[in-house]
Amino acid sequence: MIELDNQAQFKINLEELEKIAKKITDKNFELILVDNATIEQINKEYRNIKKPTDVLSFPIDAICEEMPIGSIIISVDFLERGVEYGHSKEDELKLLLIHGLLHLIGYDHENDNGEMREKEKELIKFFDLPESLIIRNEK
């Protein structure tokens, strides 16, 4: 389900990430872990924003069932934020995976009426994770 490209060599538990992914979708997708310099370059190229970000999602319209639904790119440098909020880098990775995957399946917190936030809260509670950035920003 997850096609992993771990360019940052960050140690992950793929089995735990797969559990999260399977709860959200049965489709394949690519997960790319990079550093801030790489994600900044991608952010500039595709969004014309010249700064690093934590997660980028690139959905694609699959023309057959076997094709991945898109790519999620996560900067491992942003995982330190989890430690700042009192949880692990691994939990922050899970939160960013949920966020990115919701974008891949069509949610958009910038244009919806809170549907993505609600779905994210539901998943965070289900997996007993700490509050995500999107929820932390609501306070």
Side-chain angles (χ1 to χ4, degrees):
M1 177 181 288
I2 297 176
E3 298 172 22
L4 180 64
D5 181 0
N6 191 350
Q7 296 176 16
Q9 302 302 307
F10 182 76
K11 186 178 178 187
I12 65 166
N13 183 330
L14 191 57
E15 186 176 305
E16 288 182 11
L17 298 182
E18 288 279 6
K19 286 179 188 175
I20 292 170
K22 286 179 185 172
K23 178 76 174 165
I24 299 170
T25 183
D26 61 351
K27 306 292 184 196
N28 296 329
F29 64 94
E30 179 180 41
L31 175 61
I32 306 167
L33 302 178
V34 299
D35 60 16
N36 268 356
T38 302
I39 208 163
E40 179 175 349
Q41 180 183 0
I42 296 166
N43 205 20
K44 183 176 186 296
E45 183 176 342
Y46 290 95
R47 298 178 64 224
N48 204 28
I49 298 174
K50 192 177 187 301
K51 67 178 186 176
T53 189
D54 52 2
V55 58
L56 292 170
S57 296
F58 295 95
I60 59 171
D61 291 326
I63 55 175
C64 69
E65 193 69 26
E66 295 78 29
M67 284 184 62
I69 59 171
S71 299
I72 299 170
I73 304 170
I74 294 176
S75 171
V76 298
D77 294 324
F78 274 88
L79 300 182
E80 286 292 330
R81 183 174 54 200
V83 177
E84 294 169 17
Y85 285 104
H87 58 270
S88 69
K89 293 178 186 180
E90 293 78 14
D91 279 350
E92 192 70 16
L93 176 62
K94 292 172 188 175
L95 293 170
L96 293 175
L97 175 68
I98 289 170
H99 188 85
L101 196 47
L102 288 175
H103 277 301
L104 283 190
I105 64 169
Y107 286 90
D108 185 355
H109 57 86
E110 293 179 9
N111 297 312
D112 68 16
N113 293 314
E115 293 91 351
M116 182 169 176
R117 283 178 175 82
E118 288 307 310
K119 187 64 175 177
E120 193 172 71
K121 286 178 187 177
E122 172 189 317
L123 291 163
I124 287 168
K125 184 176 181 180
F126 182 85
F127 287 105
D128 195 28
L129 293 169
E131 292 180 338
S132 70
L133 181 62
I134 196 170
I135 295 168
R136 292 188 297 247
N137 284 339
E138 288 180 339
K139 295 180 174 182

PDB file of all heavy atoms in Angstrom, residues 94-108:
ATOM      1  N   LYS A  94       3.120  10.329  12.034  1.00  0.00           N
ATOM      2  CA  LYS A  94       1.779   9.762  11.858  1.00  0.00           C
ATOM      3  C   LYS A  94       0.751  10.863  11.632  1.00  0.00           C
ATOM      4  O   LYS A  94      -0.138  10.727  10.778  1.00  0.00           O
ATOM      5  CB  LYS A  94       1.397   8.916  13.072  1.00  0.00           C
ATOM      6  CG  LYS A  94       2.218   7.655  13.209  1.00  0.00           C
ATOM      7  CD  LYS A  94       1.925   6.956  14.531  1.00  0.00           C
ATOM      8  CE  LYS A  94       2.881   5.808  14.764  1.00  0.00           C
ATOM      9  NZ  LYS A  94       2.677   5.203  16.104  1.00  0.00           N
ATOM     10  N   LEU A  95       0.865  11.952  12.376  1.00  0.00           N
ATOM     11  CA  LEU A  95      -0.063  13.075  12.204  1.00  0.00           C
ATOM     12  C   LEU A  95       0.059  13.677  10.806  1.00  0.00           C
ATOM     13  O   LEU A  95      -0.951  13.977  10.158  1.00  0.00           O
ATOM     14  CB  LEU A  95       0.205  14.150  13.267  1.00  0.00           C
ATOM     15  CG  LEU A  95      -0.101  13.760  14.706  1.00  0.00           C
ATOM     16  CD1 LEU A  95       0.444  14.805  15.668  1.00  0.00           C
ATOM     17  CD2 LEU A  95      -1.595  13.560  14.917  1.00  0.00           C
ATOM     18  N   LEU A  96       1.284  13.832  10.340  1.00  0.00           N
ATOM     19  CA  LEU A  96       1.488  14.394   9.008  1.00  0.00           C
ATOM     20  C   LEU A  96       1.028  13.427   7.923  1.00  0.00           C
ATOM     21  O   LEU A  96       0.506  13.856   6.891  1.00  0.00           O
ATOM     22  CB  LEU A  96       2.959  14.775   8.809  1.00  0.00           C
ATOM     23  CG  LEU A  96       3.448  15.936   9.677  1.00  0.00           C
ATOM     24  CD1 LEU A  96       4.946  16.159   9.491  1.00  0.00           C
ATOM     25  CD2 LEU A  96       2.672  17.214   9.393  1.00  0.00           C
ATOM     26  N   LEU A  97       1.198  12.126   8.168  1.00  0.00           N
ATOM     27  CA  LEU A  97       0.702  11.133   7.219  1.00  0.00           C
ATOM     28  C   LEU A  97      -0.825  11.228   7.109  1.00  0.00           C
ATOM     29  O   LEU A  97      -1.367  11.241   6.007  1.00  0.00           O
ATOM     30  CB  LEU A  97       1.109   9.727   7.643  1.00  0.00           C
ATOM     31  CG  LEU A  97       0.540   8.607   6.768  1.00  0.00           C
ATOM     32  CD1 LEU A  97       1.162   8.644   5.382  1.00  0.00           C
ATOM     33  CD2 LEU A  97       0.746   7.254   7.418  1.00  0.00           C
ATOM     34  N   ILE A  98      -1.507  11.305   8.230  1.00  0.00           N
ATOM     35  CA  ILE A  98      -2.968  11.446   8.215  1.00  0.00           C
ATOM     36  C   ILE A  98      -3.363  12.683   7.430  1.00  0.00           C
ATOM     37  O   ILE A  98      -4.228  12.632   6.556  1.00  0.00           O
ATOM     38  CB  ILE A  98      -3.532  11.495   9.655  1.00  0.00           C
ATOM     39  CG1 ILE A  98      -3.425  10.117  10.313  1.00  0.00           C
ATOM     40  CG2 ILE A  98      -4.977  11.994   9.662  1.00  0.00           C
ATOM     41  CD1 ILE A  98      -3.729  10.115  11.805  1.00  0.00           C
ATOM     42  N   HIS A  99      -2.725  13.796   7.732  1.00  0.00           N
ATOM     43  CA  HIS A  99      -3.040  15.060   7.062  1.00  0.00           C
ATOM     44  C   HIS A  99      -2.828  14.951   5.550  1.00  0.00           C
ATOM     45  O   HIS A  99      -3.701  15.289   4.759  1.00  0.00           O
ATOM     46  CB  HIS A  99      -2.186  16.181   7.655  1.00  0.00           C
ATOM     47  CG  HIS A  99      -2.559  17.527   7.177  1.00  0.00           C
ATOM     48  ND1 HIS A  99      -3.566  18.272   7.750  1.00  0.00           N
ATOM     49  CD2 HIS A  99      -2.079  18.277   6.161  1.00  0.00           C
ATOM     50  CE1 HIS A  99      -3.685  19.422   7.111  1.00  0.00           C
ATOM     51  NE2 HIS A  99      -2.792  19.450   6.141  1.00  0.00           N
ATOM     52  N   GLY A 100      -1.655  14.440   5.170  1.00  0.00           N
ATOM     53  CA  GLY A 100      -1.343  14.321   3.749  1.00  0.00           C
ATOM     54  C   GLY A 100      -2.256  13.352   3.030  1.00  0.00           C
ATOM     55  O   GLY A 100      -2.690  13.602   1.903  1.00  0.00           O
ATOM     56  N   LEU A 101      -2.581  12.250   3.682  1.00  0.00           N
ATOM     57  CA  LEU A 101      -3.432  11.242   3.053  1.00  0.00           C
ATOM     58  C   LEU A 101      -4.868  11.746   2.889  1.00  0.00           C
ATOM     59  O   LEU A 101      -5.520  11.465   1.876  1.00  0.00           O
ATOM     60  CB  LEU A 101      -3.384   9.950   3.859  1.00  0.00           C
ATOM     61  CG  LEU A 101      -3.892   8.681   3.191  1.00  0.00           C
ATOM     62  CD1 LEU A 101      -3.350   8.510   1.783  1.00  0.00           C
ATOM     63  CD2 LEU A 101      -3.548   7.469   4.032  1.00  0.00           C
ATOM     64  N   LEU A 102      -5.346  12.509   3.851  1.00  0.00           N
ATOM     65  CA  LEU A 102      -6.683  13.102   3.693  1.00  0.00           C
ATOM     66  C   LEU A 102      -6.719  14.022   2.474  1.00  0.00           C
ATOM     67  O   LEU A 102      -7.704  14.051   1.739  1.00  0.00           O
ATOM     68  CB  LEU A 102      -7.109  13.838   4.961  1.00  0.00           C
ATOM     69  CG  LEU A 102      -7.465  12.940   6.150  1.00  0.00           C
ATOM     70  CD1 LEU A 102      -7.750  13.785   7.391  1.00  0.00           C
ATOM     71  CD2 LEU A 102      -8.639  12.023   5.832  1.00  0.00           C
ATOM     72  N   HIS A 103      -5.636  14.767   2.253  1.00  0.00           N
ATOM     73  CA  HIS A 103      -5.565  15.592   1.038  1.00  0.00           C
ATOM     74  C   HIS A 103      -5.606  14.716  -0.219  1.00  0.00           C
ATOM     75  O   HIS A 103      -6.273  15.056  -1.196  1.00  0.00           O
ATOM     76  CB  HIS A 103      -4.306  16.456   1.027  1.00  0.00           C
ATOM     77  CG  HIS A 103      -4.421  17.723   1.800  1.00  0.00           C
ATOM     78  ND1 HIS A 103      -5.366  18.690   1.537  1.00  0.00           N
ATOM     79  CD2 HIS A 103      -3.706  18.190   2.850  1.00  0.00           C
ATOM     80  CE1 HIS A 103      -5.220  19.697   2.370  1.00  0.00           C
ATOM     81  NE2 HIS A 103      -4.213  19.414   3.191  1.00  0.00           N
ATOM     82  N   LEU A 104      -4.892  13.589  -0.192  1.00  0.00           N
ATOM     83  CA  LEU A 104      -4.867  12.719  -1.368  1.00  0.00           C
ATOM     84  C   LEU A 104      -6.243  12.178  -1.724  1.00  0.00           C
ATOM     85  O   LEU A 104      -6.539  11.959  -2.897  1.00  0.00           O
ATOM     86  CB  LEU A 104      -3.916  11.531  -1.171  1.00  0.00           C
ATOM     87  CG  LEU A 104      -2.425  11.754  -1.306  1.00  0.00           C
ATOM     88  CD1 LEU A 104      -1.694  10.416  -1.327  1.00  0.00           C
ATOM     89  CD2 LEU A 104      -2.053  12.566  -2.530  1.00  0.00           C
ATOM     90  N   ILE A 105      -7.078  11.954  -0.724  1.00  0.00           N
ATOM     91  CA  ILE A 105      -8.400  11.384  -1.022  1.00  0.00           C
ATOM     92  C   ILE A 105      -9.466  12.462  -1.205  1.00  0.00           C
ATOM     93  O   ILE A 105     -10.645  12.140  -1.324  1.00  0.00           O
ATOM     94  CB  ILE A 105      -8.837  10.329   0.022  1.00  0.00           C
ATOM     95  CG1 ILE A 105      -9.019  10.928   1.410  1.00  0.00           C
ATOM     96  CG2 ILE A 105      -7.851   9.169   0.041  1.00  0.00           C
ATOM     97  CD1 ILE A 105      -9.700   9.988   2.391  1.00  0.00           C
ATOM     98  N   GLY A 106      -9.033  13.738  -1.236  1.00  0.00           N
ATOM     99  CA  GLY A 106      -9.962  14.785  -1.635  1.00  0.00           C
ATOM    100  C   GLY A 106     -10.338  15.823  -0.605  1.00  0.00           C
ATOM    101  O   GLY A 106     -11.044  16.784  -0.923  1.00  0.00           O
ATOM    102  N   TYR A 107      -9.888  15.688   0.621  1.00  0.00           N
ATOM    103  CA  TYR A 107     -10.190  16.711   1.627  1.00  0.00           C
ATOM    104  C   TYR A 107      -9.310  17.942   1.401  1.00  0.00           C
ATOM    105  O   TYR A 107      -8.180  17.829   0.948  1.00  0.00           O
ATOM    106  CB  TYR A 107      -9.952  16.169   3.036  1.00  0.00           C
ATOM    107  CG  TYR A 107     -10.994  15.194   3.514  1.00  0.00           C
ATOM    108  CD1 TYR A 107     -10.849  13.831   3.292  1.00  0.00           C
ATOM    109  CD2 TYR A 107     -12.121  15.637   4.198  1.00  0.00           C
ATOM    110  CE1 TYR A 107     -11.805  12.922   3.741  1.00  0.00           C
ATOM    111  CE2 TYR A 107     -13.076  14.742   4.650  1.00  0.00           C
ATOM    112  CZ  TYR A 107     -12.916  13.386   4.426  1.00  0.00           C
ATOM    113  OH  TYR A 107     -13.858  12.490   4.862  1.00  0.00           O
ATOM    114  N   ASP A 108      -9.847  19.116   1.752  1.00  0.00           N
ATOM    115  CA  ASP A 108      -9.087  20.365   1.608  1.00  0.00           C
ATOM    116  C   ASP A 108      -9.528  21.346   2.682  1.00  0.00           C
ATOM    117  O   ASP A 108     -10.544  22.018   2.553  1.00  0.00           O
ATOM    118  CB  ASP A 108      -9.297  20.967   0.219  1.00  0.00           C
ATOM    119  CG  ASP A 108      -8.438  22.188  -0.028  1.00  0.00           C
ATOM    120  OD1 ASP A 108      -7.736  22.646   0.898  1.00  0.00           O
ATOM    121  OD2 ASP A 108      -8.470  22.700  -1.162  1.00  0.00           O
TER     122      ASP A 108
END
